[in-house]
Amino acid sequence: QSVLTQPPSVSGAPGQRITISCTGSSSNIGAGYDVHWYLQLPGTAPKLLIYANNNRPSGVPDRFSASKSGTSASLAIAGLQPEDEADYYCQSYDSSLSGSVFGGGTKLTVL
Amino acid sequence: QLQLQESGPGLVKPSETLSLSCTVSGGSISSSSHFWGWLRQPPGKGLEWIGSIYYSGSTYENPSLKSRVTISIDTSKNQFSLKMRSVTAADTAVYYCARDVVTTGWFDPWGQGALVTVSS
């Protein structure tokens, strides 16, 4: 069981907007620790998508955005494209564990 | 451009020690701004942070793995390493090394990953 909770799967049609939630607790997201998001294409290493809650690394399209509130965070993808089909993970720091924790991952299917 | 590359045996016997190295290129592992981390992903499952090390040798590990894990660093070779003792089939995973930007921060970039299978 992952410390951060994500829906196992989400889906959307090309051009649509979807969101992926990431729910934590008072020892991680709720404690004010930043949330980061990764994209993992099949058979490849995770790639940083969003860092420090809502910042996009160079090269990440502005179709990807994220937010954080209370003990939860969410990733939004606008204008879905077939190449967005991948697994998405959230990550934060947990003070009880004194280390990084991840969500279980969400598989995005572009219909 | 910073790049990381894992290396080590792809097959380890149960109860033995898993050993992996990560070679950093395109930048110095002695950067005072970052840690260097190990993570893993069992087949078909999610990501798990194993532990991270600073260039000074200071480490912090996942409490669930701490008793079996040793992370070390060799700044002369621009490498850091992972040793995991007493492995079982549950330790079969793709092992990744990555730059740990700050202790409460993110991992970027990642190595391509190394599959380690625990089997007799």
Side-chain angles (χ1 to χ4, degrees), chain A residues 36 38 40 45 89 91 93 97 99, chain B residues 41 49 63 96 103 105 107 111:
Chain A
H36 322 291
Y38 302 86
Q40 185 176 35
Y89 293 90
Q91 177 235 327
Y93 178 87
L97 300 175
Chain B
Q41 184 173 35
W49 169 72
Y96 296 100
T103 54
F107 296 94

Side-chain angles (χ1 to χ4, degrees), chain B residues 28-109:
Chain B
S28 173
I29 203 169
S30 298
S31 167
S32 60
S33 304
H34 308 114
F35 277 69
W36 303 92
W38 286 101
L39 307 98
R40 69 179 182 178
Q41 184 173 35
K45 296 188 178 180
L47 298 164
E48 180 180 37
W49 169 72
I50 298 171
S52 299
I53 188 165
Y54 195 49
Y55 77 96
S56 63
S58 173
T59 62
Y60 68 118
E61 296 92 359
N62 187 323
S64 68
L65 299 170
K66 186 179 176 70
S67 64
R68 297 195 292 130
V69 163
T70 300
I71 299 174
S72 58
I73 194 164
D74 187 336
T75 54
S76 67
K77 294 182 179 178
N78 234 31
Q79 286 182 343
F80 62 106
S81 300
L82 169 71
K83 289 189 185 300
M84 183 178 292
R85 296 173 291 278
S86 304
V87 296
T88 69
D91 295 311
T92 293
V94 176
Y95 285 76
Y96 296 100
C97 59
R99 183 177 59 177
D100 182 355
V101 175
V102 292
T103 54
T104 61
W106 58 94
F107 296 94
D108 180 63

